Amino acid sequence: MTEGRNISAMGGTALGAAAVLALAAVPLLSLPDYFMHVLITMLLTAVAGTGWALMGRFGLVSFGHGAFLGIGAYTMALLWNLYGITPWIGIPLGVAAAMAVGVMLGYPSFRLRVVGHYFALVTLAAGEIVRILIVALRGVTGGSLGMTPQQAPPEAAFAAMQFGKAGFWWLALAAWAGGLLAWRLLDRSMSSRALAAIAEDEDAAASIGIRVTREKLKVMMISVALAALAGALTAQYRMYLNPESLAGLAPSLQIVFGAIAGGMFSPIGPTIGALITIGLDESLRVFFGTQFIGAAPLVYGLLLVMFMLFLPRGIAGLLERRPAARVPQPGPHREAAAPPGSLGEKPATGA
Amino acid sequence: MDPFLLEALLNGVLLGGVFALPVLGLNLVFGVVDVIWLCYAELVMVGMYTVWFLHTQAGWPLGLAFAVCLPAIAVLGLLLHLLVVRPLLGRPPINQVLATGGVLFVLQGSATLVFSTDFRSLGVEMPPMEMGEVFVSGTKLAAFVAALLGAAALWAFLKFTYVGTAIRAIARDREVMPLMGVDPRRIYLIASAVGGALAGLAACLLVVQLDMHPFVGLSFGPITFMICVMGGLGNMLGGFLAAFLMGLIVSTGGFWWNTEMSYVVAFLFFILVIFLRPRGLFAR
């Protein structure tokens, strides 16, 4: 969990800043629109995945992050359509709304020691509740048909956050850099150690004075905020919202898949995951068209199973070979026997 | 009493019967193998397509299609265990859940490839029955009776057969039983097959009531997990009772408000139960 530190303590930030600056120049290449679209989608997916992995790597596995995408996106879009509040204000409000729901869900969960499978199912239920509410309140949200934010007049387009692909690329890049920065700051703080200890043994952690509820809630808030931000930006970029892609089980599992495939223990893991999932999505769509509409989930699913069987630390896990080799671990089952690297979690206590 | 409320209550009980079978199957697998099959509802979905295909496309009689569906899904359960679950047995539970989540996507994707996303229905309907002031759908009633028979058969199997006793023993204590000469690997296989067969039976009951499409599992999958947890994971009787409770919440919620909101209420109720009684509603 602390391998991120090993890469380079001092140079990491500088390297990251340089990478962000380099990426900021991408619109200057005047790439084809479609290519730009894929890149923006990848980056926004990476933001959501980074948010998920931020808490997922400590055994706080959420199957309901779709809910936060949806809350962020719909809050923003409804504020714009109903009250004319610009997304520049609407997105922070949407993020705040998602965080409020996150507290309502997280505080009792952590306080009452809902862990493992049980926490996953609580978040799953929350994700479904948000999806069904969006569908049920079709009078304002458009239900399953979805909704489109109203078009602003050209002179007010910037104020309404309605601009071309370059603008969204920069926004997405800022969100992504923010996510990585949050990851880095967390890993440099005591919270990261505290959360690692909690993931190992909650009672033991509490007994040495770690404030379990507070630490968990803190990381969940960052995670939720990133998901909500990604959801809102995605909706505003596409100018279309619908409950099936922004809430419920399906988008939640897709976030999880991306983060796992890329590797949730490394800060760039979820980004690698987003490159894979969106790349896979698009290439399947381009090569097979809509004829083989089931091919994408089929390949996803197979990959998810394969990753769990053979590469539980994801692609980024491959890059960690060196630091892992330094730790002497007897026996061939190093992967299974290394709790700090496993998706550390005790078996559900209630069963 | 208001006949509409009475009808809602009655439908709730019938719905509970439908929930009960997948809940029992999921519970059996969890109690014995200690792994949650996230793709359980998708096994049911495959079963529904199996029946639909054999009956409407291959022209088999419905009873024969049902009879084939059960063992077919039992084999699917076996394969799931052998190919995905068994290699992951020593791993953290979340890895196991995510792997079965991958199987969920595989099954949905395969069904979409083979059968497309069109809605299909079996087109079998039994005449409604009049009970006093209320009408009850004949198909739902028949499905309910079949669900009860299935649950009773499962109970008898677990209670009166040697293998059933071994299964219950493994669920009780998986450390000691291997020392008593019970091979857990074999018991896991049997439990997975029985869990699959229950999914197959549930498919037979659902295929006559629901239109099917590759994503139909998402409509009852989440609630099945929640019922399972509410009843107490591994607690068969608790799960069975919780199924009826959830059925009643959903259908009377539909009476007071609308069906969608009734699911919201049911899910909120689930979250509250987890917060207040994490070991399940009926834990001692």
Side-chain angles (χ1 to χ4, degrees), chain B residues 134-158:
Chain B
V134 295
F135 285 95
V136 184
S137 146
T139 28
K140 280 187 183 169
L141 199 62
F144 175 74
V145 174
L148 287 192
L149 289 177
L154 176 69
W155 176 78
F157 166 68
L158 290 177

Side-chain angles (χ1 to χ4, degrees), chain A residues 52 61 63 104-105 108-109 112 114 116-118 120-122 124-126 128-129 131-133 135-138 249-250 253-254 256-257 260 291-295 297-298 300-302 304-305 308-309 312 336 342-343 345-351, chain B residues 30 34-36 38 83-84 87-88 90-110 112-113 116-117 215 218-219 222 225-226 229 232-233 258-261 263-264 267-268 270-271 274-276 278-280:
Chain A
W52 183 89
V61 172
F63 282 165
M104 277 158 53
L105 208 61
S109 292
L112 300 167
V114 175
H117 290 323
Y118 292 79
L121 283 168
V122 163
L124 190 155
E128 282 295 300
I129 288 175
R131 183 183 64 84
I132 298 169
L133 278 178
V135 175
L137 300 173
R138 51 179 65 79
L249 186 56
L253 281 181
Q254 264 154 16
V256 178
F257 171 65
I260 297 273
Q291 217 177 349
F292 295 105
I293 205 166
L298 184 63
Y300 267 171
L302 278 178
L304 186 50
V305 176
M308 282 295 116
L309 285 175
S342 57
L343 315 185
E345 186 220 356
K346 299 280 151 236
T349 48
Chain B
F30 183 82
D34 201 22
V35 170
I36 292 188
L38 204 60
L83 297 179
V84 178
L88 288 173
R91 301 278 184 83
I94 289 299
N95 292 32
Q96 303 163 344
V97 173
L98 288 175
T100 60
V103 177
L104 179 155
F105 283 124
V106 170
L107 295 179
Q108 274 184 1
S110 323
T112 311
L113 276 180
S116 86
T117 48
F215 308 102
L218 291 179
S219 67
F225 294 113
M226 289 171 205
V229 173
L233 276 171
N258 62 44
T259 322
E260 284 147 354
M261 284 321 227
Y263 274 92
V264 171
F267 290 167
L268 280 176
F270 163 77
I271 293 180
I274 292 295
F275 287 164
L276 303 178
R279 277 154 191 273

